[in-house]
Every structure is written in structure tokens, then in C-alpha cells.
Amino acid sequence: MTDVPEITLNDGHTIPQFGLGVWQAKPEECVDAVAHALKVGYRHIDTAAIYGNEEQVGQAIAESGVPREEVFLTTKLWNDRHRDAPAALEESLARLGVDHVDLYLIHWPVPSQDAYVDAWRSLIELRDAGKATSIGVSNFNEDHLLRVIEETGVVPAVNQIESHPTFQRFDLRQINQAHGIQTEVWSPLGRGEDLENDTVLEIAESVGKTPAQVILRWHIQRGVIVFPKSVTPARIEENFDIWDFELTEGQMKQMIKLNRKNRLGPDPRIFGA
Ligand code: NAD
């Protein structure tokens, strides 16, 4: 039904490489946004307990007529529930109105709490109980990844990290790759900031696409999993219209030159402390 590539995770399950993110989608906007995305062809929704819109995501999926098994649904464990993950996931499932999620992530490592390994052990049990088909982490640096792998022997299926043209994360992507962990990127458009970049504008003009489409196509071609956020129907459609063109090797190289360590979100080493 869509042209979205599927990526195989290290546990053998597959994930659509492209989806819709709903951070900051207000509950009253979220049902329509997810409904529209599903109508356009999106089959992957990224939410989190802390976003306060799981109920609306679940409602939109249920009302869409798209079978549950065709929608890849991700939610995340919030920082104050690291020692209480089973109950936290049950609450998320109840709000979403589903019996399992396709991917459950530890949202942040919060090293000062020193509870993310406990949380990871719980996620392994929840996966084994069928409550989450795949499990992974978000905002984990190398030391956090190594600890969960060494202490449990289970490698996360994904690591969801901030990454966009002005903050590309070559090092952490390489570390993920070395462990067989797929990289998912958040704030893929740099929260809108990277859309104004001269190189992006120039490439957009030369390929006859919008700046958002150029950046999203670049993410797809570099092999990461991406879910831009929008609640505006026209933008939801625009962001999905990236399957009929390709950036050349030269344009991919031009994009690489935009990297300048422009972190927009919090630093995982200290966030949540
Ligand atoms: P984003 O880079 O997707 O940018 C969203 C902003 O860009 C919004 O203001 C939106 O209106 C604008 N936009 C979207 N499409 C556009 C278009 N075609 N033209 C012009 N403007 C457009 O940023 P994000 O929301 O931070 O990240 C995407 C998703 O990543 C989130 O919704 C969430 O699911 C996830 N996320 C995860 C974490 C984490 O800690 N794991 C943190 C932040 C976000």
C-alpha cells in the first residue's frame, strides 16, 4: 500500500522506516493528525507516556479502519517509572487501548537515578510476556548501552536519538551499528530550524521538492528510522511525499557538510537529574 521501506531489527521483527511523531501534539489535535496520517499511508506512530496523548493515538488507530497489526506503534517509559516498568506499560496499554505495543523504549537513561538497568531487565520480561514485540532505548550514549548489554546480555533493538542535518551523530550511529542496534532519529527537521538552511534550500530548488522533503529523504537514504511531527494535514502529506525522488551522492555529501554539533534537546548525561 505504501512505498515505505521496512527495516529488520536485531530480534527479527520489522519496522517501517518512516512514521509520524506526536510529541507536543495536543490531545485535541492528535486524533485528527493520526487519523489523517493513517489515511495518507503512514503505518508507524511514535508516542510516549509523557506526551499525554496515548489515549488519542489509540482512538485514532481504532477508528481508522486500518487493522491494528498493520500499524507499528511505539511508546516509551518515563523517567520516574524506571523501577516500575511493568505497571507503567500496563497503564500505557490501557490508555492506547491495545494489548501490546510494537516497540517499548526507555525514554532517557537518567544516570543519576542509576535505575536504567533495572528498567531494561523489566523490558526484557515484558517482551517475553508479549506486551511489547520489540524493546529498545532512547537517548542512550555508549556507556549506557554497554551497561545494559553487559549486565543482561540483551541488545536493544533500537536507540532513538536526536539527529538532524546540523547534529548528525556519526559517532553514536557507528556505535549503534557496531552492536546491531538500529538508529531512530528524533527532531529530524531540527524542530523546523534546519528547514531554513541555505544548502537545504538550494537542493530543494534543484530537485523540485520542499526543504522538509529533502531533509526527510536524506534521513531515509542514510538509513535511519524517522518520524517527523506535524498536526497540519498538508504537512503530514508533504512529509510523506518523498518516495518519487532520490538525492544524488553529491547532494548527500553536501548535506554531510552541514554537521555542526547543534544539539537542540537536553544532554542525556545530565537530563532528569
Ligand atoms: P521535528 O524535527 O519533527 O520538527 C517538528 C516541527 O517541524 C514542528 O514545529 C512542525 O510543525 C514542523 N514541521 C513538520 N513538518 C513540516 C513541514 N513539512 N514544513 C515545515 N515545518 C514542518 O521535531 P520533533 O517533534 O522534536 O521530533 C519528531 C518526533 O520525535 C517527536 O514527535 C517524537 O515522536 C520524537 N521525539 C523523541 C524524543 C526522545 O527523547 N525520544 C525527543 C523529541 C522528539
Side-chain angles (χ1 to χ4, degrees):
M1 131 119 215
T2 73
D3 299 312
V4 180
E6 296 271 331
I7 287 189
T8 302
L9 302 173
N10 61 16
D11 59 10
H13 294 287
T14 57
I15 181 170
Q17 197 185 350
F18 185 91
L20 180 76
V22 294
W23 179 45
Q24 292 180 322
K26 297 184 191 81
E28 63 274 19
E29 311 168 316
C30 192
V31 177
D32 287 347
V34 173
H36 193 68
L38 292 170
K39 206 166 120 200
V40 170
Y42 289 62
R43 290 293 180 270
H44 171 178
I45 312 292
D46 183 89
T47 185
I50 195 69
Y51 298 170
N53 54 26
E54 287 177 310
E55 207 177 313
Q56 289 71 26
V57 168
Q59 184 189 334
I61 294 172
E63 291 173 356
S64 69
V66 179
R68 165 69 187 95
E69 61 273 18
E70 287 180 22
V71 183
F72 191 100
L73 181 56
T74 298
T75 196
K76 312 185 193 88
L77 175 73
W78 189 238
N79 301 343
D80 58 355
R81 308 297 296 273
H82 280 193
R83 293 196 167 89
D84 187 23
L89 179 54
E90 280 306 331
E91 289 162 27
S92 281
L93 293 177
R95 284 189 293 263
L96 288 161
V98 296
D99 60 7
H100 73 283
V101 286
D102 299 282
L103 182 60
Y104 195 43
L105 306 179
I106 300 176
H107 206 144
W108 290 87
V110 200
S112 61
Q113 272 184 171
D114 196 23
Y116 62 86
V117 179
D118 293 338
W120 185 242
R121 283 203 184 88
S122 294
L123 261 62
I124 295 166
E125 286 173 17
L126 290 164
R127 180 198 61 184
D128 293 346
K131 302 277 184 186
T133 306
S134 296
I135 52 173
V137 297
S138 177
N139 301 302
F140 272 41
N141 288 340
E142 183 175 26
D143 52 334
H144 313 130
L145 290 173
L146 287 178
R147 256 195 86 192
V148 295
I149 295 168
E150 279 165 13
E151 295 195 29
T152 69
V154 177
V155 180
V158 311
N159 187 12
Q160 184 179 124
I161 58 172
E162 179 183 347
S163 181
H164 40 85
T166 54
F167 190 47
Q168 300 192 16
R169 318 296 302 274
F170 301 111
D171 293 359
L172 193 47
R173 264 201 79 195
Q174 217 162 36
I175 288 159
N176 287 341
Q177 235 161 12
H179 291 282
I181 300 168
Q182 292 292 337
T183 301
E184 294 192 325
V185 298
W186 59 259
S187 294
L189 303 172
R191 296 185 184 160
E193 266 187 34
D194 288 355
L195 298 171
E196 310 290 326
N197 185 283
D198 285 345
T199 301
V200 173
L201 290 167
E202 192 189 301
I203 296 175
E205 174 137 4
S206 77
V207 297
K209 285 283 181 177
T210 67
Q213 290 169 332
V214 166
I215 294 177
L216 294 169
R217 184 70 215 180
W218 168 72
H219 283 297
I220 293 291
Q221 285 182 222
R222 73 190 181 120
V224 298
I225 299 161
V226 62
F227 26 79
K229 179 257 176 179
S230 178
V231 293
T232 310
R235 285 182 174 172
I236 290 172
E237 290 169 31
E238 173 187 334
N239 294 345
F240 195 71
D241 184 15
I242 57 171
W243 314 111
D244 62 349
F245 77 111
E246 267 187 35
L247 300 180
T248 62
E249 210 170 297
Q251 288 164 336
M252 292 297 287
K253 282 191 182 139
Q254 271 181 285
M255 293 292 290
I256 286 173
K257 289 195 190 133
L258 302 185
N259 189 31
R260 55 178 173 83
K261 301 202 170 127
N262 180 32
R263 190 194 285 279
L264 300 174
D267 187 330
R269 288 173 297 183
I270 49 173
F271 183 65

